[in-house]
Amino acid sequence: MSNSAVLEGVLERITYANEENGYTVARVDTGRGAGDLLTVVGSLLGAQPGESLRMEGRWASHPQFGKQFQVDNYTTILPATIQGIRRYLGSGLIKGIGPVMADRITTHFGVDTLDIIEQHPKRLVEVPGLGPKRTKMIAAAWEEQKAIKEVMVFLQSVGVSTSIAVRIYKKYEDASISVVRNQPYRLAADVWGIGFLTADRIAQAVGIPHDSPERVKAGLQYALSQSTDQGHCFLPEERLIADGVKLLQVDTGLVIDCLAELAEDPEGVVREKVPGPEDGQPVTAVYLVPFHRAEIALAAQVQRLLRTPEDRMPAFQDVDWDKALAWLARRTGATLAPEQEAAVRLALSRKVAVLTGGPGCGKSFTVRSVIELARARNAKVVLAAPTGRAAKRLSELTGAEASTVHRLLELKPGGDAAYDRERPLDADLVVVDEASMLDLLLANKLIKAVAPGAHLLLVGDVDQLPSVGAGEVLRDLLAEGGPVPAVRLTTVFRQAQKSGVVTNAHRINSGVPPLTEGLDDFFLFVEDETEDAGVLAVDVAARRIPAKFGLNPRRDVQVLAPMHRGPAGAGHLNGLLQQAITPGRPGLPEKRFGGRVFRVGDKVTQIRNNYDKGENGVFNGTVGVVTALDPDEQKLTVLTDEDEEIVYDFDELDELAHAYAMTIHRSQGSEYPAVVIPVTTSAWMMLQRNLLYTAVTRAKKLVVLVGSRKAIGQAVRTVSAGRRCTGLDFRLRGGTAGEVPEK
């Protein structure tokens, strides 16, 4: 190995980037002319083509690719040559200047270009086509760029990548350096994309001691928020302490003391005795404050709705049901089965009711019947579902307007709703479909907004995966001994029995392997090798299904993978599917961000809740198609499933991921004409019955499994082990702090 060296050059293009570890392969122009580009490898996360870099590292020789420079770290510097300046300005670094304008400006001012922009920006109007308005914009963007650069230099000195540094700057602006220096753990809570581990690294770099109580408290809150990402509303105290010790590598005593301090802090954590998730034995639960508040409020509000003497649909207390149902049968042309009839009566006569059941059992027809009868008595009916796709489907089914829960409540930036207890929804009946997707926080917001006396009907399939967010609301509402009346539809209707998709969904749900021979809507392609299964799944989705069934690969076919990582995981398959369905073409604009390339026509999904975008926020799981990409304005436009146009600045593209393939968890509440599911032994730990059941029930017409029989067998046999930690069913039964019954 040779000693360390320094290399300066303009970053021409990134040929490969792994967004998980930042490893990058790039081509750099060192200005030796003749178009001679050098290959550099290493961590260049955040560097953009067009920037001039000073890279520290060492020279190495690669058996296949020859001489390379291995980068240990880099800083961006202002370019010195006209060609460098032109590339730098044209890279989209500064709003208002694209490649064409960069060309004009550098042609006019030459090597002095950057000095002119900095010292005499008014002179930019000398450039043909640049008016005073654009000049002002460029000057402002340059100033901001300079301020960011200062913050960047500091942040890079404490080991933060450029892309994260931009986000820190956007959040705190001029206060960035002071926050990072004095309160680095705030970053984990405030800045999306920074977890405790990154904040901890920064804290170490600015000299915060390993055993400082600030660090331990932040670590405990991080461990709790990680567990809410896993679906838990609380953690048992012993488990949290053990997690804390492991994460922080400090003494148990210190963790216990800091946890006690957090419990004293009104914004810290709440400790309370509740029945444990496994055996109902009392445990000391530790909650983050918002989850504790939501659980208590949700239980209280359900009780309140059930008990209120008011009734906004009094006609159904003493209705002649035989007559009402006969009228309904004439109107819909079909009679209700006994369990459906029970559900209709329940929804119209009780204030809160739950309807659950698998595919083909007539949930939709039952819901339509409830709505028809309510409308016949002039009731105001409001329909909602957690996702845009599910709302669209509910609307098609009932012929009435349905919206997402977020839109219905008119969530505001920061997540507060326009409708709540003080200002409830003007509705006599609120119907929410796909209720298995409601997590604790959203369910609490929703139920708060239901007026006293109004009826609430929650409809969903409790055997599907629970919500992505914390809680198991639907399951807790259905728990034995609880106060909420419910009907479970179990009979599969005759016409649905002809469907292989429906039949196999019920087989899987009852622990029997699916039939994969002789059906025209359910297929298995056997491929035992994980990598080959991934490649085959792509071929099936992009080429074979469109050819055989005439379906559109982008709109009608969805690949659903058990996990994100690995050769048959959603991440890798997205890359292959993009190449197959939306390949790069000359003249088609594209934008590389981290390890992804975005193109017009790409199918994408939002991967975090962002309350500041769109009319009422854009939420984790929203899917859309990229309709425009503007390198000059550095903006990308997505048309979502809800027919809303959302504009992303290029530096916000980490909120988007490709959606040609997605994890089964992310597909909840959506339906697709055709679904392709790679089921391989490499996903062994993830293979569970409710996972496969959820994937199969996403398909309207066609399911293709690709993978091994062994893996499918594993999924069908495995009933998911641990219940989520939630206290909702206990609270619904009237349980309060400190009175957990000993079993």
Side-chain angles (χ1 to χ4, degrees), residues 407-429:
R407 266 174 199 267
L408 175 68
L409 300 177
E410 291 178 20
L411 288 192
K412 300 277 174 272
D416 288 327
Y419 293 96
D420 53 25
R421 273 188 70 184
E422 276 61 64
R423 184 190 172 201
L425 294 162
D426 178 22
D428 306 321
L429 171 65

Side-chain angles (χ1 to χ4, degrees), residues 528 530-531 563 565-569 679-687 711:
D528 288 333
T530 299
E531 204 151 320
M563 37 199 277
R565 296 186 173 189
V679 188
T680 62
T681 48
S682 70
W684 201 252
M685 296 306 293
M686 296 293 293
L687 296 176

Side-chain angles (χ1 to χ4, degrees), residues 187-496:
L187 302 173
D190 291 354
V191 182
W192 185 72
I194 296 188
F196 172 78
L197 301 174
T198 307
D200 201 30
R201 217 178 53 233
I202 296 170
Q204 213 178 337
V206 296
I208 287 178
H210 188 71
D211 58 0
S212 107
E214 287 314 301
R215 173 173 185 265
V216 177
K217 286 192 223 171
L220 285 169
Q221 286 180 302
Y222 168 73
L224 275 177
S225 88
Q226 283 292 93
S227 76
T228 64
D229 288 346
Q230 307 291 300
H232 300 298
C233 301
F234 67 80
L235 278 184
E237 187 174 40
E238 296 78 62
R239 198 161 131 195
L240 175 61
I241 291 168
D243 287 357
V245 169
K246 196 166 140 197
L247 170 75
L248 298 159
Q249 301 286 309
V250 294
D251 288 349
T252 309
L254 178 61
V255 172
I256 291 172
D257 293 345
C258 289
L259 182 55
E261 277 181 45
L262 273 175
E264 299 283 292
D265 175 358
E267 294 302 302
V269 300
V270 178
R271 283 199 286 202
E272 189 174 298
K273 275 252 191 298
V274 302
E278 300 311 326
D279 51 8
Q281 290 297 328
V283 296
T284 299
V286 186
Y287 285 86
L288 288 172
V289 174
F291 292 90
H292 184 256
R293 276 194 200 130
E295 214 173 73
I296 287 179
L298 177 57
Q301 185 68 9
V302 169
Q303 300 275 13
R304 197 179 298 121
L305 288 175
L306 282 166
R307 289 196 192 124
T308 178
E310 295 166 60
D311 193 344
R312 292 182 59 155
M313 296 201 298
F316 292 102
Q317 292 311 325
D318 49 10
V319 71
D320 178 340
W321 281 105
D322 291 343
K323 217 164 136 185
L325 294 167
W327 173 85
L328 183 67
R330 287 197 301 278
R331 186 161 169 89
T332 57
T335 39
L336 291 165
E339 46 187 29
Q340 292 180 310
E341 191 181 305
V344 170
R345 292 174 71 152
L346 209 57
L348 294 168
S349 58
R350 300 292 295 273
K351 308 287 170 47
V352 183
V354 175
L355 171 62
T356 187
C361 294
K363 278 201 308 283
S364 301
F365 182 63
T366 309
V367 170
R368 216 180 95 197
S369 303
V370 169
I371 293 166
E372 290 279 357
L373 280 169
R375 285 225 185 95
R377 293 295 174 117
N378 296 322
K380 255 199 153 151
V381 183
V382 165
L383 309 176
T387 64
R389 283 196 167 208
K392 242 183 189 166
R393 203 176 64 233
L394 183 60
S395 183
E396 285 160 11
L397 172 93
T398 54
E401 185 73 20
S403 69
T404 61
V405 176
H406 300 106
R407 266 174 199 267
L408 175 68
L409 300 177
E410 291 178 20
L411 288 192
K412 300 277 174 272
D416 288 327
Y419 293 96
D420 53 25
R421 273 188 70 184
E422 276 61 64
R423 184 190 172 201
L425 294 162
D426 178 22
D428 306 321
L429 171 65
V430 179
V431 179
V432 183
D433 198 7
E434 293 291 352
S436 60
M437 296 181 68
L438 288 176
D439 60 47
L440 175 65
L441 299 181
L442 186 59
N444 181 41
K445 288 191 171 102
L446 170 73
I447 290 183
K448 257 190 200 149
V450 178
H455 291 230
L456 172 67
L457 174 62
L458 296 171
V459 184
D461 183 346
V462 76
D463 294 320
Q464 283 181 37
L465 289 166
S467 55
V468 175
E472 282 193 285
V473 175
L474 189 62
R475 182 172 287 177
D476 285 343
L477 289 168
L478 284 162
E480 269 179 59
V484 179
V487 169
R488 185 175 193 134
L489 303 179
T490 53
T491 313
V492 179
F493 281 91
R494 211 172 46 244
Q495 62 271 33

